[in-house]
Amino acid sequence: MSERSQETDAFADVCNQLRNHAYKLTPQRQTILKIFLEQGSGHLSAEEIYQLVKPHYPDIGLATIYRTLDILADLGILQKNDFGDGRSRYEFSRRDEHHHHHLICLRCGSVSEFDDDLLESLETMIAKRNKFKVVDHVLKFYGYCSKCQEELKRDV
């Protein structure tokens, strides 16, 4: 299946979820959803989304963005993340995919994702040893991206 048809399917699925929960599918909400689909694995703040939506809808307010993000997060369509920079960031939830984790640069604030199957075996071991059913986990590593490491070396 092509990437474009996957985006179209994902968009239609989210639209159906909104309708099934009696939410209106406003043009502004459609634009916000399309921005997330275009950004792929982007971790966008409400302010960043606002800047991307504003050219399409100059009269849109930041409160509308926040309300839409809250609705999409409550429905499990978006995942709300706190990376310690004072802003919530959002990404599409991936219920059917393997867990992914985040690397957060303390200097530039960039966020990248990584998958590591070792963490799944660790989760299984923790669950077994502690007789605890794990249903979710979040893992964030804070440090310096390669670009910032190079810049820090030059500054010394």
Side-chain angles (χ1 to χ4, degrees), residues 69-137:
L69 293 174
D70 285 343
I71 289 167
L72 295 173
D74 288 344
L75 293 175
I77 295 165
L78 295 181
Q79 182 178 359
K80 185 176 182 179
N81 297 296
D82 177 2
F83 296 131
D85 63 354
R87 300 187 300 176
S88 294
R89 295 176 187 267
Y90 300 83
E91 65 181 318
F92 265 114
S93 293
R94 302 183 218 170
R95 294 182 204 130
D96 56 344
E97 288 186 23
H98 182 77
H99 281 287
H100 71 276
H101 309 286
H102 299 98
L103 303 171
I104 300 119
C105 182
L106 294 169
R107 188 164 187 250
C108 71
S110 67
V111 177
S112 55
E113 298 177 355
F114 74 97
D115 294 314
D116 195 327
D117 288 333
L118 292 174
L119 294 170
E120 294 302 314
S121 59
L122 177 62
E123 182 179 300
T124 302
M125 184 180 71
I126 289 169
K128 191 174 187 176
R129 282 187 183 171
N130 296 286
K131 296 181 179 155
F132 184 83
K133 181 179 179 178
V134 177
V135 295
D136 197 9
H137 67 264

Side-chain angles (χ1 to χ4, degrees), residues 32-51:
I32 291 169
L33 290 170
K34 287 177 184 174
I35 286 170
F36 273 102
L37 288 169
E38 291 166 3
Q39 295 295 320
S41 63
H43 301 86
L44 301 172
S45 69
E47 294 79 10
E48 291 167 328
I49 296 163
Y50 175 73
Q51 292 302 318

